[in-house]
Amino acid sequence: MHNKTIAEISAGLKAGKFSSEELTQDLLARIDRIDGKLNSFVTVTAEQAQAAARAADERIKANKATPLTGVPIAHKDIFCTEGVKTSCGSKMLDNFIAPYNATVVERMHAAGAVMLGKTNMDEFAMGSSNETSFYGAVKNPWDLERVPGGSSGGSAAAIAARLVPGATGTDTGGSIRQPAALCGVTGLKPTYGRVSRYGMIAFASSLDQGGPFARTAEDCALLLNAMSGFDGRDSTSIDKPVPDYTATLKDSIAGLKIGLPKEYFSEGLDAGMAQAVEQAIDVYKSMGCEIKEISLPNTHLSVPAYYVVAPAECSSNLSRFDGVRYGYRCENPSDLTDLYERSRGEGFGSEVKRRIMIGTYALSAGYYDAYYLKAQQIRRLISDDFTQAFADVDVIMGPTSPTTAFKLGEKTDDPVSMYLSDIYTIAANLAGLPGMSIPAGFSNGLPVGLQLIGNYFDEGGLLAAAHQYQQQTDWHTHTPQGFA
Amino acid sequence: MEWESVIGLEIHAQLATSSKIFSGASTAYGAVPNTQACAVDLGMPGVLPVLNQKAVLMAAKFGIAVEAEIARRSVFARKNYFYPDLPKGYQISQFELPVVGKGKLDVMLEDGSTKTIGITRAHLEEDAGKSLHEDFHGMTGIDLNRAGTPLLEIVSEPDIRSAKEAVAYMKKIHSMVRYLEICDGNMQEGSFRCDANVSVRPKGQKEFGTRAEIKNLNSFRFVERAINHEIERQIDLIEGGDKVVQETRLYDSDKGETRSMRSKEEANDYRYFPDPDLLPLEITEEMLESVRATMPELPDGKRQRFVSEYDLNEYDATVLTASRELADFYEATLRFSDADPKLVANWVMGEFSAALNNDAIEIADSPVNPEMLGGMLTRITDNTISGKIAKEVFEAMWAGEGAADDIIEKKGLKQITDSGAIEAMIDEIIANNPQQLEQFRAGKEKLFGFFVGQAMKASGGKANPAQVNDILKRKLKG
């Protein structure tokens, strides 16, 4: 039962082949049995899940079901869930029970999805390996000595290990696409503004975007249908109708113009990766797509610009964690300054502190123009690169990540090399564009992700391209050994 | 040496919206601590601000009133600093691009002259909560009811040259925001308060001296005293060979002095940057048109109209239009009465205002409404009562004894206008005071007043004074 996709579950529930309660119990038992090896969940909400599953079964019987009614899912622990611990992977929020639901959580709940629990993540979504979590690293189901990617590593690993068929994630610089690639699952980062950020604990507000993980593009379309749409509580959410993303999955992609940025195939890209990506491109060629080499000349500026903008915003966003109203507070503070210094000093991990310090520096009087303002100008250049590219092509493809999953601990002492894991994903965040990662083969037994970047609000086009690739290939059906 | 002081004010006017600037929580004053703070005001993880459109329209209204440029596109910025009553660790404000740009305001000074004070800018921002240091046994209580209350910070140019000018300017802004109905102006509740930037320089010098900023002045009297104290302190420092330090000072109203809060070196680096949670604020021509359509008559326009329409002098017109409530009360009273506008003005500025002051109440709570006052003034005009008796009637009305006509009737205060009766009374008075009559006729004309007084006394104040005068003049001549 745990091998079913969301589309299969949805059909099975509707046909009465099994109940949501059975499925939920099956997956809860599987999580219980297996997740000790992976550490992909921070919280398992078994009781609530069973109650929600029973309610979903009633709803299905009453013919009031949506395609997600009764479908088990998990939320990244960055989304506030009322009455349930929402830790954001941090000691700072280890004691935090959210008093309200994030819009994404509310919408998935309204659709009838059954939350099994909250998935592990890099602390405050800052990391590319899931090693910065207060709850310990998540292991990659393809190789337990390797990282699952980050920051949404828990969601990606849980899906790869068949613990849950779908999950939410957030992507600030690649945090959905990179773990999807490293774990061999499908993940989508929507256009900035497509999915509400309300209740999603902010890392870098102008870059953060929630999105779905699943095994297939079709499942991602089903999840995105439920998650998307304007939210009056998020001023950056965009008031634009949400199409039915499942309706366009089969639209012909013959004649689709695919751009391959030469900057994404240069040095630093692992040879096995390059080969797998080229093979994937050949599949598209065989489906009648036109392939074109393009240039995104400012690509090399994206990592430096990102590591100014994101830390700057995070240094301000994380100021609210001060030990005063909620979250971690140090023992016996001697005065206000001591309360702040020790609560934050003890509550945050080192990567979070590093970024707060970088960001504070970048925003300081006298440095603002040289760093923050300059980074924003670069951001514009990067957006312009994409605008020019999309005048010629419909979708941009390339590797999601320069390497396959690396070893736990391999990059923890070298932040810059860790930051470079996101070299291909960051630009889409800086420009606000939608991007996907889909399984496209293996290199040395580890999954390779193909990245698709689309024009603004062309999630439908990306999903169609991904879906049809998945009709031609079976990479997305491969299961890590021991998790079948 | 002769010194000149240079003053600029930053006025914080709390906008009279019913909900907060970035959340739906109520802004009502005086609720139980932390009962008017929602997840957004508490800075909960994941919450986001949504701008209250009414606050924007109010800011635009102010901008139009001070003839300022309204920015078609302005930007909210985060002002970052840590304080327990600042839940997010930053205040959402406007920095580089404020909603209201350069404007100006004419202020009437004590000598009757008019001075134009420049307004540098006015921007929207959220208020912080309150830290309560008493009643918590060495700890601090935090009340976040006020957190997120919309403020308009109005920054003046350093055009002000004395504490009195500063007060005149502040009063004018106070009157303006109340006219516009964008702020209740309640200074005790902190709805209207200001910071003053003060420096001194030798008269004739062009460059500004080093300034000190005095924080949180919440009464006109404190503004005047604090600025005067600060000017003296700075002059004393310089004349004693010291230098003024750029710093923030706090006014201690008990001691009547300012003391240092923090120096420039200790000042926060607020690390302003555009708030990525809020889109730039766009104001369209249609929005501005809708605001213009709701603009009330402003103090200066009203004053001019009072002069031309009611033939009042400048002084009366200024006093009556200082607050919209008083001006409205005056005009309503006029409508309810046949009295001359000048007589109505005298009563509104005189007895009526004095009674309000005495009882320390607002016009809205006055026991005498325009209909009652107008009715009474009609009775002066039609000679039913004299001005003197009217004061007695007014007091009775104020005490809640009913309308003027009822009081006049009940108390028998109707003026005596029967000339036969007055004549008889005067004959008797003259007969009883032969000595005074003789002196008067010998040229001591001052004694005319004595006879008037006797006549009024004899009539219980009810004799028509004009008739008494006429008859006395005739009879005393003999």
Side-chain angles (χ1 to χ4, degrees), chain A residues 409-461:
Chain A
E410 187 182 324
K411 298 187 179 182
T412 41
D413 294 333
D414 185 357
V416 173
S417 111
M418 185 76 90
Y419 295 169
L420 289 171
S421 314
D422 294 329
I423 189 162
Y424 304 134
T425 48
I426 276 174
N429 297 85
L430 290 170
L433 294 164
M436 275 190 90
S437 181
I438 55 175
F442 291 85
S443 171
N444 294 323
L446 294 167
V448 171
L450 175 72
Q451 181 175 214
L452 292 73
I453 299 173
N455 213 337
Y456 296 104
F457 296 100
D458 194 21
E459 285 81 1

Side-chain angles (χ1 to χ4, degrees), chain B residues 375-386:
Chain B
M376 188 197 84
L377 295 176
T378 300
R379 292 295 163 252
I380 298 179
T381 307
D382 69 11
N383 283 328
T384 306
I385 53 172
S386 66

